[in-house]
Amino acid sequence: MPTEANPTSYNQPSPASGHGASELILNVGLWGPCPTKRQGEFVTLNMDLENKLFELSGGKALYAHTFYTEDEFWRVYDRNRYNALRKKYGATTLPSAYDKVKRPSDVGLGFRDRVLDVRPIGGVYGVL
């Protein structure tokens, strides 16, 4: 825990910074099911949150779904650095981080997306 004697004990490179600078990370989590009758509002609120994070030089931790377009995603996360790591560790045939966390930004999800959103079906599908 940070103290006056050691105020930077939680400093880590920011995943969104792309330059490895040491920054204090604040992780705020919001959990819960998507309200199916107000899904458009849910998507809009998520996109507003992502825009605010970008304005503040932050980004979502990638355990959460994102509503970024692919261009917006790679403005936040350093694509060149990411691809270099994928190449170094032989992971170029796997889906990208963007492919794993993206969600459609339209209001409705199709049948396929709804099925793949059920655990563990989406995970098994991803492995296959």
Side-chain angles (χ1 to χ4, degrees):
M1 176 165 237
T3 64
E4 286 186 51
N6 187 10
T8 61
S9 62
Y10 283 137
N11 281 1
Q12 301 281 333
S14 168
S17 69
H19 52 74
S22 184
E23 301 172 10
L24 185 63
I25 293 176
L26 174 63
N27 182 11
V28 177
L30 306 170
W31 291 270
C34 169
T36 56
K37 293 183 180 179
R38 294 184 5 229
Q39 194 170 48
E41 181 182 351
F42 174 80
V43 170
T44 299
L45 289 170
N46 270 276
M47 293 172 79
D48 290 346
L49 175 62
E50 290 171 350
N51 288 330
K52 180 53 79 176
L53 287 169
F54 184 76
E55 286 176 28
L56 299 172
S57 300
K60 280 185 164 179
L62 297 182
Y63 58 81
H65 291 296
T66 68
F67 294 85
Y68 297 116
T69 65
E70 189 166 7
D71 288 340
E72 291 169 339
F73 182 87
W74 293 117
R75 269 196 343 233
V76 175
Y77 304 96
D78 186 335
R79 183 180 224 160
N80 292 331
R81 187 171 163 205
Y82 175 76
N83 284 336
L85 287 171
R86 283 171 52 95
K87 186 176 180 181
K88 178 179 179 180
Y89 293 105
T92 56
T93 60
L94 298 172
S96 73
Y98 173 75
D99 292 328
K100 292 178 184 179
V101 298
K102 71 178 178 179
R103 289 294 299 254
S105 59
D106 60 349
V107 174
L109 293 176
F111 176 75
R112 178 182 176 275
D113 291 320
R114 286 195 311 263
V115 169
L116 291 177
D117 204 32
V118 175
R119 292 182 184 177
I121 295 172
V124 172
Y125 176 80
V127 168
L128 296 175

